Amino acid sequence: MSTLRRMSYAGKKRKLDKTRQDRVYFDSYSDVTVHEEMIADYVRTNTYRTAILKNSELIRGKVVLDVGAGTGVLSIFCAQAGAKKVYAVEACSIAEQAVEIVKQNNVEDVVEVIRGTVETVELPEKVEVIVSEWMGYALLHESMLNSVLYARDRWLKAGGLILPSRAELYITPISDPVVEDRLYFWYTVKEQYGVDMSCMSNFARRCIKNSDIIVSNVAMEDVLSHPARFAELDLHSVTVEELRTVKGRFTCESFGSAAVNAFCVYFTVTFPCPEKPHSLVLSTSPFYPETHWKQAVLYLDSPVEVVQDTPFSGEVSMFPSEDSSRHICIHVDYTIGEQKEQSKTFSIPDWTAEPQP
């Protein structure tokens, strides 16, 4: 579940209190656009549907909690899989639409939509299954996983089912030719219009290759190595404290000669299936069909030329922003070939900023 709003004006950063952070976050899900984007994401929605139906033997006759239910589509999937009762907990006003959707699908005797946060609502009973589409950009943006872990500790019976049950984070170097073309553009203006604007190149570089986490689709031909997994989260055991900093080391080698100008971070989530050892994986890899999460692109300050088998190594750390706990920051310490280790910290652009006076 992820949404990203960009402001049309220059903003100044400021720290928001937790109540306002939550209000801004929940308000962003009150508009139809974000729900249209999520439901229209076939990879996302159909993978959840398939995972729920494949686990129908474990869901049939059981009580389910849907954390951050949105329009209620996952709750309805659970009802279709035979759940005895589904508590669809949703904090924003889209819950009103979820009630209508539940009625329209004739499952109101099974699915109960509850307006509120999972941290504040009271359920009449413990549950045997938790389902949630909690993932944000770069997996952890919006920090909704914290709510899923609260629900697990407060409401899930021992040995209960969590869908999905595992998440993994990957990093890989990339060569993005579009960015280099945009920087070179300023050298072509004189030939076209007789005005030399090549001095704009440095300004463009500072604007484009800044410290923002850029959410965009990476073409698989721009990926320069096998992906390196740097973190794994087991939703049955991970704690909120451990989410304060998710980090891990990585190593990989270049496929060939190119100019590395960014790293790409993406995630997978895994759903258990009764027919072990098989499982169902939802991947946001550049090598898999596109999702609305796309990939998180981290631009280096300057490109680095590499050749076949040039080694990459380093450590990735992910942690909440000091300005807003729901915003994710990514810090990368990295070494490319024989170069000295370099570091850079990236963050999601702040859509809660106020306009400058």
Side-chain angles (χ1 to χ4, degrees):
M1 182 177 286
S2 197
T3 181
L4 184 62
R5 294 184 173 184
R6 292 183 179 276
M7 295 308 227
S8 58
Y9 49 75
K12 60 181 179 182
K13 289 188 177 179
R14 61 195 184 86
K15 188 168 184 176
L16 300 177
D17 64 80
K18 182 68 165 60
T19 301
R20 186 160 190 274
Q21 290 173 24
D22 289 344
R23 187 169 68 249
V24 170
Y25 167 65
F26 291 125
D27 284 351
S28 71
Y29 283 95
S30 297
D31 183 72
V32 70
T33 305
V34 65
H35 296 283
E36 177 184 349
E37 180 184 43
M38 291 189 295
I39 298 293
D41 182 342
Y42 181 79
V43 173
R44 164 201 179 270
T45 307
N46 193 59
T47 301
Y48 267 86
R49 179 174 183 267
T50 302
I52 289 167
L53 295 180
K54 279 184 175 290
N55 281 281
S56 58
E57 290 183 14
L58 300 176
I59 294 174
R60 189 176 297 114
K62 301 296 176 57
V63 180
V64 179
L65 170 58
D66 182 356
V67 180
T71 55
V73 64
L74 303 187
S75 295
I76 294 172
F77 290 159
C78 290
Q80 292 171 343
K84 178 176 71 174
K85 184 70 178 181
V86 182
Y87 296 106
V89 176
E90 174 53 51
C92 83
S93 61
I94 199 67
E96 298 168 16
Q97 304 305 314
V99 170
E100 296 301 312
I101 294 169
V102 166
K103 288 180 180 177
Q104 190 167 31
N105 286 271
N106 302 311
V107 290
E108 64 267 34
D109 57 333
V110 175
V111 179
E112 180 181 344
V113 179
I114 302 175
R115 177 77 186 271
T117 66
V118 76
E119 291 86 356
T120 58
V121 301
E122 282 294 322
L123 302 183
E125 58 188 322
K126 294 273 192 175
V127 305
E128 289 123 324
V129 181
I130 289 178
V131 62
S132 180
E133 196 278 80
W134 52 267
M135 299 85 73
Y137 296 120
L139 187 67
L140 297 176
H141 182 60
E142 295 179 342
S143 70
M144 188 181 158
L145 180 53
N146 295 36
S147 296
V148 176
L149 301 188
Y150 177 91
R152 177 199 68 191
D153 296 341
R154 175 72 177 84
W155 296 112
L156 187 64
K157 291 182 179 180
L161 179 67
I162 303 178
L163 298 174
S165 60
R166 190 171 80 246
E168 295 168 291
L169 281 155
Y170 296 83
I171 189 170
T172 183
I174 65 171
S175 179
D176 183 352
V178 175
V179 164
E180 301 307 323
D181 289 345
R182 288 181 64 190
L183 297 178
Y184 184 71
F185 163 77
W186 297 104
Y187 291 94
T188 70
V189 175
K190 184 175 182 180
E191 184 179 342
Q192 295 182 76
Y193 306 115
V195 178
D196 188 347
M197 300 186 74
S198 58
C199 60
M200 280 285 289
S201 181
N202 286 335
F203 173 67
R205 185 180 301 278
R206 291 195 302 272
C207 291
I208 296 169
K209 294 190 171 184
N210 54 27
S211 297
D212 287 348
I213 297 171
I214 304 301
V215 178
S216 64
N217 286 310
V218 173
M220 60 182 179
E221 58 267 23
D222 296 338
V223 176
L224 297 179
S225 79
H226 291 296
R229 187 179 71 178
F230 66 88
E232 179 179 1
L233 305 176
D234 181 342
L235 268 65
H236 285 279
S237 59
V238 68
T239 65
V240 171
E241 181 66 30
E242 289 170 333
L243 293 182
R244 293 185 189 216
T245 303
V246 173
K247 66 180 179 179
R249 297 200 60 81
F250 69 92
T251 59
C252 53
E253 294 182 344
S254 173
F255 286 147
S257 299
V260 178
N261 59 9
F263 285 107
C264 159
V265 171
Y266 70 90
F267 67 86
T268 65
V269 294
T270 301
F271 299 83
C273 288
E275 53 265 29
K276 295 179 180 178
H278 301 292
S279 57
L280 190 62
V281 177
L282 192 168
S283 176
T284 61
S285 164
F287 293 98
Y288 282 75
E290 178 185 333
T291 72
H292 79 282
W293 289 285
K294 304 176 184 177
Q295 289 86 36
V297 178
L298 317 174
Y299 286 109
L300 309 184
D301 292 330
S302 301
V304 178
E305 295 291 335
V306 298
V307 297
Q308 178 75 37
D309 297 330
T310 296
F312 299 82
S313 62
E315 184 175 68
V316 185
S317 300
M318 302 178 70
F319 50 90
S321 165
E322 292 183 0
D323 298 308
S324 174
S325 62
R326 289 193 176 274
H327 281 230
I328 196 68
C329 296
I330 304 177
H331 178 82
V332 185
D333 298 314
Y334 63 94
T335 302
I336 302 176
E338 299 300 318
Q339 289 200 341
K340 289 173 56 179
E341 182 180 79
Q342 299 188 59
S343 300
K344 191 170 181 180
T345 302
F346 305 83
S347 61
I348 290 281
D350 185 5
W351 41 262
T352 63
E354 289 187 330
Q356 296 278 16

